[in-house]
Amino acid sequence: MSIVFRIATDLDDRIVPPAEITARQLAAFRARLAAEGDRTGETLLHCRGGDEELSDNFEARVCPFALATLARLFDYATDVITVLEEAQFRARRVKVWHTSPNGPIRMRVAETSDRALELDLPATPAMALLESLGLRADSVGEIPIETLRQRLANPAVQRRLNDAELAHYLPSLTTLIESARLDDSSRFEWA
């Protein structure tokens, strides 16, 4: 089991319904991701545990693209454009999945940030990190980002992180905090 630490905003509480896409659209999208990834040297398609070439359950970065470029791949379907636009606005990836082997293919805004700034830790170090930050070691929770900033600035917290040999997570936490500076509703959450 792992716990993912990330930055969330009030926009994350807004529900954007998933869009349905066709197999042809999926193939065109994957081809565009591959071509742009080859051109830039970046990984744009992210598949957890499995063959990226065959998977129809993945997350994709859409922020590097113009919305019009992507919309054309999906025949300008308004439900797909809504998902893509929301993902770009929130600097998130999109998640694509098959609902069942013969069911429809869907796309929605992913929880993962575009650049995958999240910190995914096994449960034991995650709980130790929470305790070092002076937080309850619950597997799910959230605090305002300003509270996290204050705790990380506290010398006692710094000492606890060093004593627990968790200081090597500070650069990732700092990057997370920096990503939160664009939205006043930002909060640090874990699940």
Side-chain angles (χ1 to χ4, degrees), residues 73-93:
L73 299 174
F74 298 100
D75 304 316
Y76 302 97
T78 56
D79 58 340
V80 177
I81 290 172
T82 300
V83 169
L84 294 169
E85 184 178 46
E86 185 72 15
Q88 288 183 337
F89 179 73
R90 290 168 44 190
R92 297 293 167 96
R93 295 178 181 181

Side-chain angles (χ1 to χ4, degrees), residues 142-183:
E142 68 178 39
I143 60 169
I145 197 67
E146 194 52 43
T147 303
L148 178 61
R149 281 189 180 106
Q150 291 168 359
R151 289 182 186 221
L152 287 172
N154 183 331
V157 170
Q158 295 282 334
R159 222 174 5 266
R160 285 194 303 258
L161 287 167
N162 284 325
D163 292 347
E165 297 180 3
L166 298 169
H168 60 280
Y169 294 122
L170 282 174
S172 297
L173 288 172
T174 302
T175 302
L176 275 174
I177 290 170
E178 284 302 309
S179 73
R181 66 183 156 79
L182 303 175
D183 190 325

Side-chain angles (χ1 to χ4, degrees), residues 8-186:
T9 68
D10 287 349
L11 291 174
D12 293 319
D13 299 332
R14 193 166 67 187
I15 306 268
V16 176
E20 235 177 77
I21 62 174
T22 66
R24 180 189 57 76
Q25 292 168 336
L26 175 62
F29 183 47
R30 290 180 63 95
R32 184 71 177 122
L33 291 168
E36 186 66 13
D38 288 345
R39 186 184 75 75
T40 62
E42 293 185 66
T43 302
L44 300 174
L45 186 141
H46 303 270
C47 179
R48 289 189 187 206
D51 187 357
E52 288 186 3
E53 296 296 320
L54 301 174
S55 178
D56 58 3
N57 187 346
F58 62 89
E59 288 186 354
R61 292 188 59 209
V62 295
C63 291
F65 296 93
L67 181 59
T69 300
L70 296 174
R72 185 176 63 228
L73 299 174
F74 298 100
D75 304 316
Y76 302 97
T78 56
D79 58 340
V80 177
I81 290 172
T82 300
V83 169
L84 294 169
E85 184 178 46
E86 185 72 15
Q88 288 183 337
F89 179 73
R90 290 168 44 190
R92 297 293 167 96
R93 295 178 181 181
V94 294
K95 179 172 178 54
V96 176
W97 78 100
H98 235 123
T99 58
S100 65
N102 295 322
I105 304 166
R106 299 233 166 113
M107 175 189 287
R108 69 170 170 80
V109 178
E111 290 184 351
T112 310
S113 63
D114 179 61
R115 295 236 175 232
L117 300 175
E118 294 75 15
L119 180 59
D120 189 351
L121 298 178
T124 302
M127 293 301 174
L129 179 64
L130 289 168
E131 289 173 359
S132 294
L133 292 171
L135 300 168
R136 286 184 41 201
D138 292 332
S139 58
V140 176
E142 68 178 39
I143 60 169
I145 197 67
E146 194 52 43
T147 303
L148 178 61
R149 281 189 180 106
Q150 291 168 359
R151 289 182 186 221
L152 287 172
N154 183 331
V157 170
Q158 295 282 334
R159 222 174 5 266
R160 285 194 303 258
L161 287 167
N162 284 325
D163 292 347
E165 297 180 3
L166 298 169
H168 60 280
Y169 294 122
L170 282 174
S172 297
L173 288 172
T174 302
T175 302
L176 275 174
I177 290 170
E178 284 302 309
S179 73
R181 66 183 156 79
L182 303 175
D183 190 325
D184 292 338
S185 70
S186 295

